[in-house]
Amino acid sequence: MIRWILAFIIVAISLAASHFLIDEKGYVLISVGNTTVEGTIISFLVWAGICFTVLYFAFITLRALLRMYGKTTGFWRGKKELKAQQVWQQGLWASINDDAAAVQSTLNKGQAPEEWQDAQQALLAKAALQQGDKAQALAHLQNVSDAGQSKVPKLWLDANQNEQALALLDAPMAEKKPTQAAMSSYLAGLLQAEKHAELATAINQHYKRLDWSQAQWQAFMARWFTANAEQAIGQFEQLPKALKVQSEALYMQSQASAGQWQNLLPTLQKWLKKGQYQAFADVVVHAKNPDVKLRTSLQDALKKHPEQPQLLFAMGCLANAAGEYELAAKVFDNCQLTELDKTHLKPVLNSYEQTQQFQKAYLLLAAK
């Protein structure tokens, strides 16, 4: 553009100089309607130069002001975005470290970046639940946008809003391939809402898709059987074969705890006949009340195999469940108790405490 301006100036100077060479000033006449403007070429050139100079400096000044404004605005905007990013990162790390108080104090200071504001509300809800403030948690969950609600059903479950959580999961579970998170939350929601029939159906439909470890399945099944012990036999029979195998011990333990011996007696008697004494003891250790037929069967097996420590231990467990603490304590005195884990120690410790043999109980605990 500079070249064009220079060319224009050179042409203008040449035209003006030509008049000096011929000794003519040169006149210009401009007529617009009833208005006329006349003058020499030199005067018009001077005015044109002045106007151009004024416009040029006005343009430079305006551009400088606009740039200054843009930089200033960008600075404050960038500072605000940086602060939002810092707040979000600090709150996220606090949540990773399970520091609920730090999450609340940090994320309540300001807004996270726009794309993470739903996650901010979810973290605040989780922190409130960790501190036992369900009302505050619900307030944060309600601030999550409609688009983000499908991502927080577990928090609704933790806030005891089972129906809300299951309603949020209807759409994700209706998809051809539900996500792992959706399926896990759906099963947990059905269990928490005590919808056992629907839960059995859902397990049969989705257990192959769920990427759960054996430990996760066992923990879930233990909760399910314990929550509905009276109908556990029906739930167990509905399970897929693969889950039945890994859940059988948990099912029987839950039934023993609930005193549902009528559902277990045939299997336990079969185990005694086949010499599966450890499996038998692993179930009987959970006994909370006695069963005459089972005790008779155990006594018969113990007479035939008095050398089996598992049978002796099981007899002590049944005596403890029957309230015969003196007998149970004497039986346990003859067992290898140091090899038992904490679950198997419970009836032992109870019989010692009931018979005021606190020193024995203390020594057992100290050895673990």
Side-chain angles (χ1 to χ4, degrees), residues 6-277:
L6 290 174
F8 175 77
I9 293 173
I10 291 170
V11 171
I13 292 173
S14 299
L15 290 174
S18 64
H19 289 282
F20 285 103
L21 292 175
I22 61 174
D23 198 22
E24 289 288 344
K25 296 181 179 179
Y27 286 91
V28 176
L29 176 64
I30 300 174
S31 177
V32 180
N34 296 325
T35 303
T36 59
V37 178
E38 61 178 312
T40 63
I41 290 177
I42 297 300
S43 63
F44 272 98
L45 287 175
V46 171
W47 279 108
I50 293 173
C51 291
F52 174 79
T53 302
V54 171
L55 290 174
Y56 176 76
F57 281 107
F59 170 74
I60 295 297
T61 304
L62 181 61
R63 185 175 64 176
L65 291 173
L66 289 174
R67 285 181 177 177
M68 187 180 298
Y69 173 77
K71 289 181 180 179
T72 304
T73 305
F75 170 78
W76 292 112
R77 186 187 299 115
K79 190 173 182 180
K80 184 178 179 181
E81 291 175 357
L82 178 61
K83 183 178 179 181
Q85 189 69 29
Q86 290 174 340
V87 166
W88 167 243
Q89 289 180 351
Q90 291 171 6
L92 183 61
W93 282 115
S95 180
I96 290 172
N97 291 307
D98 286 330
D99 191 343
V103 171
Q104 290 183 318
S105 63
T106 301
L107 294 182
N108 281 323
K109 290 179 181 177
Q111 290 289 341
E114 186 176 356
E115 65 271 21
W116 295 111
Q117 287 180 8
D118 280 347
Q120 178 184 15
Q121 294 299 322
L123 290 181
L124 285 169
K126 180 181 178 181
L129 287 171
Q130 289 174 334
Q131 293 189 321
D133 191 348
K134 291 184 179 179
Q136 189 64 34
L138 288 174
H140 288 300
L141 287 173
Q142 289 165 357
N143 288 334
V144 176
S145 68
D146 292 340
Q149 285 293 343
S150 61
K151 297 179 177 64
V152 292
K154 188 177 185 305
L155 293 177
W156 284 102
L157 285 175
D158 294 342
N160 291 331
Q161 302 296 311
N162 303 326
E163 295 301 327
Q164 173 71 11
L166 292 173
L168 290 173
L169 287 166
D170 283 342
M173 290 302 297
E175 295 179 1
K176 188 175 181 180
K177 291 184 178 180
T179 64
Q180 292 289 319
M183 289 187 289
S184 298
S185 296
Y186 187 63
L187 295 184
L190 291 174
L191 176 58
Q192 195 161 310
E194 298 183 355
K195 296 186 176 183
H196 301 294
E198 292 92 330
L199 178 55
T201 302
I203 288 176
N204 278 279
Q205 290 177 345
H206 302 294
Y207 85 97
K208 288 184 178 179
R209 297 177 182 174
L210 266 173
D211 189 19
W212 280 5
S213 64
Q214 183 175 352
Q216 285 176 298
W217 273 115
Q218 288 183 343
F220 185 83
M221 290 300 177
R223 288 176 55 205
W224 188 22
F225 294 144
T226 303
N228 197 26
E230 293 182 0
Q231 299 180 18
I233 185 170
Q235 299 164 6
F236 180 72
E237 293 300 329
Q238 292 181 54
L239 291 176
K241 186 176 180 180
L243 287 181
K244 267 188 177 181
V245 173
Q246 67 183 45
S247 303
E248 183 178 24
L250 295 169
Y251 159 71
M252 297 190 73
Q253 290 167 10
S254 68
Q255 291 291 279
S257 295
Q260 301 292 320
W261 295 110
Q262 69 277 8
N263 299 329
L264 303 180
L265 194 57
T267 301
L268 292 174
Q269 289 175 333
K270 181 177 70 175
W271 286 355
L272 286 175
K273 290 179 181 179
K274 291 185 175 182
Q276 295 176 268
Y277 303 135

Side-chain angles (χ1 to χ4, degrees), residues 261 265 269 289-299 318:
W261 295 110
L265 194 57
Q269 289 175 333
N289 53 21
D291 182 80
V292 176
K293 292 182 180 180
L294 180 63
R295 193 166 182 176
T296 301
S297 299
L298 176 58
Q299 287 172 341
L318 289 181

